[in-house]
């Protein structure tokens, strides 16, 4: 334990392999040549969007196993989730793995939640290897949360674009690559924002709270990290986050990046505020953050996937959009 | 670690307090006088079913804290979930606690999933105290999964009745009450059942798989336990479970009970196959199983909440209803 909401691991788990699968639009973005697999077919050969998302998860899991040089029988637990009601992308995507499964829902923060629990499990000696995984699909998310694609509805400029993608990470006890040296687990933060099309603003308070907690718990300043990477705040949420932390006397300007801003070229790709979804932070982690660390360019990253805790029902009932964020400290030894 | 999917804890976490809140129908059932609080108002004073479910969670959490003699500031993590899309009952129910939250979705197995992760966390020394919690509400579940109540649709006799209720358990390192001595984590089991009105049959294979795994991993026979308590198989699922295990050469007759069968008087209360929902196993655990152990009547229980991994979307798309179950070994020292 460390501070109020963090753990510093005595035996930090190591990242042994990753897998990353995305859709065509993501493949056309600035990180396009970094992903393990880019599908030209948004349905990934399946019959509907949900099955397509399951297929992405399954493929990302297989790639991660392959890259780690392991088989599914080696993995003790899987920590996974997605954005859909009752996690059906996960249930149908990971069924064939036949690995004991902890289904997680942290909205777009799910990759953070899974890495929190996965690293706790490995560091405690409960498992030699675990898999952490999250996915989203633009079309299954639009169908779940907003309008049928066929409506062709207009989106406000503060809206984000749900990433079609999945990232899977294998954690293990041995190895000398990138380690998870600590975690900070987030609580729900609600400043009463009710605009479900402005999720960046809804999630920024939770990200600010998590980052402050991490800095306090470990008694560090933002320059401890090469970068603090939030999940999917986008350009609107980034501004809110920087302002909120400034009010607390902390400046992260020059130390902050956002997976949602990195994954698309907003202007050329018409993605407005940036990418979002569980798959956004998961894919950027596997394709960009970890390889940059592996190459020695970055030594320390605070990875902070951010989630907006709304559902179509809660939104229609006039509820606010609370946020949550989970922090993962990545260090290249 | 133990066997293929289990953990035997060297320092078993202790159950320090529980809270249990149910609706009127549950209060009229066989366990009626055992619950901490029975509400006459199905809306629990709120404006809609989802807010009502959040209110039950919140009240169960407060009661558990009170019974454990702790405050919310003492609790390091909360592991919680419900049946609704995007876990909104949990998000809005536990927001005010301001405890770092791991949102879980294991369908009706969620109380098992939360006790698995909560006990792992405490036993590893990551937290002095954690809270494990799950809820369901008959009306929010019907609205989510089936028909609006106003339709007054008829239910087949193999259907179950979603319990309105929540159970919260505080786990801690000290204490000399009931301990969680081990856990077995389930994988998804799909025998291709497609009838969403017969969830007992859909979940029985997962329960059978989990129980077999537990017996093998710990090298024990069913008579090791006073009772093996499944979550919500109901009468149809119970028969299927007993038959499935018989095929594996294991007889649990005389050692099996089901929370869904215990909570209602099916004939008098017109609940058909029995109770179901995350709240079913959570409420029966807190109000019946743990008090019976506390009084010394039972010494060893295998608690096996069972979940059906369907959503309205997966069902409408013609998918099967896979099951999952998570096992918790409770022992009175």
């Amino acid at each position: 334990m460390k501070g109020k909401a963090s753990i510093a691991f005595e035996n930090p788990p190591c990242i042994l392999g990753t897998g990353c699968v995305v859709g065509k639009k993501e493949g056309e973005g600035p990180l396009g040549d970094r992903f393990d697999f880019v599908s030209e077919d948004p349905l990934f050969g399946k019959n509907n969007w949900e099955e397509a998302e399951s297929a992405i998860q399954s493929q990302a899991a297989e790639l991660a196993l392959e890259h780690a040089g392991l088989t599914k029988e080696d993995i003790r637990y899987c920590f996974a989730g997605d954005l859909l009601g009752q996690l059906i992308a996960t249930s149908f995507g990971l069924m064939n793995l036949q690995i004991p499964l902890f289904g997680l829902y942290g909205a777009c923060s799910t990759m953070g939640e899974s890495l929190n629990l996965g690293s706790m499990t490995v560091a405690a000696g409960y498992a030699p290897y675990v898999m952490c995984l999250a996915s989203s699909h633009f079309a299954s998310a639009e169908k779940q949360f907003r309008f049928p694609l066929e409506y062709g509805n207009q989106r406000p400029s503060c809206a984000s674009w749900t990433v079609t993608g999945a990232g899977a990470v294998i954690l293990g006890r041995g190895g000398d690559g990138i380690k998870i040296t600590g975690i900070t687990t987030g609580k729900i933060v609600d400043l009463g924002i009710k605009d479900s099309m402005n999720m960046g603003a809804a999630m920024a308070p939770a990200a600010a709270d998590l980052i402050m907690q991490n800095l306090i718990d470990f008694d560090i300043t933002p320059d401890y990290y090469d970068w603090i990477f939030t999940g999917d705040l986008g350009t609107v949420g980034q501004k809110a986050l920087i302002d909120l932390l400034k009010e607390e006397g902390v400046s992260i300007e020059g130390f902050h990046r956002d997976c949602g801003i990195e994954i698309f070229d907003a202007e050329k790709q018409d993605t407005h505020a940036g990418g979002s979804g569980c798959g956004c932070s998961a894919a950027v982690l596997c394709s960009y953050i970890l390889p940059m660390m592996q190459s020695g360019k970055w030594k320390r990253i605070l990875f902070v996937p951010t989630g907006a805790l709304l559902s179509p029902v809660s939104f229609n009932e006039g509820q606010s959009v609370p946020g949550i964020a989970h922090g993962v400290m990545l260090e290249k030894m």
Side-chain angles (χ1 to χ4, degrees), chain A:
Chain A
M1 287 181 281
K2 186 123 190 169
K4 261 191 151 175
S6 302
I7 298 174
F9 294 121
E10 275 175 48
N11 300 301
C14 188
I15 291 174
L16 302 178
T18 67
C20 180
V21 175
V22 299
K24 188 172 174 229
K25 191 179 183 87
E26 292 69 24
E28 291 164 354
L31 306 179
D33 55 355
R34 294 173 170 269
F35 302 113
D36 292 329
F37 182 80
V38 178
S39 174
E40 288 296 306
D41 172 15
L43 277 166
F44 290 77
K46 300 294 176 183
N47 296 313
N48 55 56
W49 303 124
E50 291 75 20
E51 285 180 31
E53 190 176 337
S54 292
I56 314 179
Q57 276 212 11
S58 172
Q59 197 180 345
E62 275 167 34
L63 284 165
L65 286 171
E66 192 186 313
H67 296 161
L70 296 169
T71 66
K72 60 186 184 176
E73 288 77 18
D74 296 320
I75 309 297
R76 181 85 176 181
Y77 299 108
C78 194
F79 298 86
D82 61 80
L83 293 177
L84 304 181
Q86 292 79 43
L87 297 192
I88 51 166
T90 302
S91 299
F92 291 97
L94 301 185
M95 197 170 356
N96 290 335
L97 286 180
Q98 289 292 292
I99 300 171
L101 172 72
F102 291 109
L104 310 179
Y105 186 79
C108 306
S109 77
T110 300
M111 196 63 192
E113 185 181 353
S114 73
L115 288 168
N116 266 238
L117 289 168
S119 58
M120 286 163 72
T121 300
V122 170
Y126 292 138
Y129 307 109
V130 303
M131 185 186 289
C132 302
L133 195 151
S135 73
S136 54
H137 190 298
F138 174 74
S140 67
E142 287 295 305
K143 176 172 155 185
Q144 172 79 113
F145 291 100
R146 286 168 282 267
F147 299 100
L149 292 184
E150 292 79 358
Y151 279 23
N153 72 304
Q154 288 230 324
R155 302 147 47 79
S157 61
C158 60
S160 54
W161 185 281
T162 306
V163 164
T164 298
V169 171
I170 312 266
L171 300 179
R173 278 187 287 183
D176 47 23
I178 300 158
K179 309 255 181 187
I180 296 181
T181 52
I183 55 170
T184 304
T185 306
K187 54 187 202 284
I188 301 173
V189 179
D190 183 23
L191 294 195
I193 285 166
K194 294 204 170 191
D195 182 357
S196 74
M197 286 292 189
N198 190 352
M199 294 204 287
M203 295 186 290
D209 187 83
L210 192 287
I211 293 166
M212 278 302 292
Q213 194 67 61
N214 178 266
L215 298 177
I216 292 168
D217 283 354
F218 288 89
D219 194 19
I220 51 179
T221 48
D223 60 358
Y224 178 83
Y225 299 107
D226 291 290
W227 297 104
I228 295 170
F229 256 97
T230 48
D232 53 356
L233 295 185
T235 47
V236 179
Q238 181 180 48
K239 196 177 170 314
L241 171 66
I242 288 171
D243 289 349
L244 283 165
L245 285 173
K246 210 171 271 173
E247 284 173 24
E248 303 288 328
V250 172
S251 169
I252 58 163
E253 269 175 298
F255 296 102
H256 178 253
R257 293 171 82 162
D258 181 72
C259 300
I261 297 175
E262 303 292 331
I263 198 166
F264 293 125
D265 182 327
E267 215 159 295
K268 279 192 203 149
Q269 296 189 279
D270 193 31
T271 49
H272 299 320
S276 62
C278 307
C280 177
S281 59
V284 173
L285 174 72
C286 295
S287 65
Y288 183 43
I289 299 175
L290 294 175
M292 287 295 277
M293 295 184 78
Q294 199 58 50
S295 74
K297 293 217 178 76
W298 301 339
K299 295 247 178 297
R300 289 192 189 126
I301 296 288
L302 179 61
F303 177 58
V304 187
T306 35
L309 300 170
L310 82 163
S311 86
V313 173
S314 72
F315 175 72
N316 287 334
E317 288 176 354
Q319 293 274 26
S320 59
V321 182
I324 195 164
H326 298 296
V328 182
M329 296 168 81
L330 300 162
E331 306 202 23
K332 178 75 164 64
M333 300 297 185

